[in-house]
Amino acid sequence: RTVAIESLVKFTGEKHELMTPGEYTQLAGRAGRRGIDELGHSVVLFQRFVPFDTITRLASARTYPLQSSFRPSYNMAVNLVRNYDRGDAEHLVNSSFAQFQADRDVVRLERTKEQLDAYLASYREKMHCELGDFSEYRRLHDRLQRREGRLESSARRNRASRVAEAIESLRPGDVIDVPTGKRRGRYAVIEVARRRSERQPRVLALSEERTMVRFAPSDFRDAPRPVARVRLPNDFHVRDGRARRALARRVAAIRTSKRAVDSTRGEETKELKSLRRAVESHPVHKCPDLSRHLHFADRAQRLEKELRGIERRISRRTGTLARRFDQVLGVLEELGYVEDWTLGPKGTTLARVYNEADLLVVEALDK
């Protein structure tokens, strides 16, 4: 295909100007169609007032800036209202090349949001359960976990308080049992002391194997209660090996089945028991793929939180065309063209008026 360019000078409305490289490329591009024509020819006719070297520079230019002239107009706004919902319309505006030039970070955020929306739709599809309403089950399940978490947290705080009180009440010579953990066994309390840098005291104790151990409050799962007592010699010293062996033998010789265990536990409320019964009796609870549904529900919840963060970041950007779009919509709503994202009679007329003074034309017609 061949295209003939008759003139390289155009009238802008105020004066005649030489074409830009971009405008020349646009005209020359008519000599071919992408994907159809392999070769095209552009012929520049004789230009009486344009030197040949100027034509050569114009045709050989390869780099030139592209500036988008796209701006949200009143006509464009009503057409977006007519064809899309609000979220899709704002996404289209924020994904435009004009928005990229104004603030390219917004375009990147919109692309990320579009990808995450696709992932979220996939997760929600995998959450679906044929046995019942999974969303209802998930709400019950989350409520149960929150209640159990609060109960466990309260129990931990109470247990920590009881452990601290029990340590304060220990005296040298008390024999205590540590039933669990790496240091489980029976010990004789040697000393209860608090360092300057510590808020809570520590317990220095001797094990049945003659090992000296210093316990912090966090080492006790339950409050340490004495199960027996031994008398410490007045001249006892922790570095005296003979005294440590003698005391360890006395501790090992104690034969008592008494175990002082902290029996105070967090009690379940009636609400918690009722909530657990509701979860266990729900049809979805018996689904063989329940763990898979819950897994994708957790991923969807995290993704929804991430999407809300992206939407907040987009809304805070001052350079978004969506803000201009919102301002245009505000004018249209005030004048009665749009109401609750629905076109009125004047809005329907405006959608068919393509003019730089589109709003003024419709307002004149309406008078």
Side-chain angles (χ1 to χ4, degrees), residues 32-216:
R33 292 166 294 181
R34 185 184 294 274
I36 299 177
D37 297 316
E38 296 182 359
L39 181 64
H41 300 279
S42 174
V43 179
V44 179
L45 302 184
F46 176 71
Q47 308 288 310
R48 180 176 299 178
F49 302 104
V50 181
F52 181 75
D53 59 342
T54 302
I55 299 175
T56 303
R57 287 196 302 270
L58 190 64
S60 61
R62 289 292 179 266
T63 59
Y64 45 86
L66 292 177
Q67 295 294 330
S68 173
S69 60
F70 170 78
R71 295 292 182 272
S73 64
Y74 296 106
N75 171 270
M76 185 203 73
V78 294
N79 277 290
L80 286 174
V81 171
R82 182 170 63 176
N83 295 298
Y84 301 95
D85 60 32
R86 191 181 193 103
D88 289 340
E90 291 181 349
H91 174 67
L92 286 172
V93 173
N94 277 337
S95 301
S96 65
F97 180 61
Q99 176 58 62
F100 180 79
Q101 290 186 319
D103 189 345
R104 64 186 61 188
D105 287 340
V106 172
V107 178
R108 294 194 186 101
L109 289 172
E110 285 288 350
R111 289 176 182 170
T112 302
K113 180 176 177 295
E114 187 175 4
Q115 293 173 351
L116 295 184
D117 281 332
Y119 284 128
L120 183 59
S122 173
Y123 295 161
R124 286 173 175 168
E125 182 180 352
K126 293 174 181 177
M127 286 163 49
H128 177 71
C129 181
E130 297 179 354
L131 297 182
D133 186 348
F134 180 79
S135 298
E136 180 185 46
Y137 176 81
R138 180 57 192 266
R139 285 193 294 271
L140 291 171
H141 183 269
D142 288 349
R143 285 180 57 195
L144 176 62
Q145 285 194 325
R146 288 194 295 270
R147 295 290 191 279
E148 288 178 337
R150 283 198 289 268
L151 181 65
E152 179 63 25
S153 177
S154 176
R156 282 197 300 268
R157 288 194 298 270
N158 293 337
R159 183 164 58 246
S161 177
R162 292 193 300 272
V163 167
E165 292 176 1
I167 290 176
E168 292 281 5
S169 65
L170 291 176
R171 296 292 179 265
D174 285 341
V175 177
I176 60 175
D177 282 334
V178 179
T180 59
K182 295 181 179 180
R183 296 178 175 179
R184 60 179 177 273
R186 180 162 287 179
Y187 296 83
V189 176
I190 305 301
E191 180 185 50
V192 178
R194 180 188 288 106
R195 296 177 181 175
R196 291 182 179 180
S197 59
E198 296 173 345
R199 298 178 57 187
Q200 295 179 328
R202 291 173 176 257
V203 178
L204 179 64
L206 177 70
S207 72
E208 297 173 278
E209 291 79 22
R210 304 192 304 275
T211 304
M212 299 300 300
V213 180
R214 192 176 295 277
F215 290 99

Side-chain angles (χ1 to χ4, degrees), residues 264-297:
T264 306
R265 304 290 182 188
E267 297 182 357
E268 293 187 357
T269 63
K270 291 182 179 180
E271 180 187 7
L272 184 59
K273 292 178 180 178
S274 174
L275 195 55
R276 182 174 287 110
R277 285 194 299 269
V279 169
E280 293 174 352
S281 63
H282 198 281
V284 175
H285 191 70
K286 301 178 179 62
C287 178
D289 296 327
L290 178 60
S291 60
R292 181 173 179 268
H293 295 325
L294 290 172
H295 169 71
F296 283 106

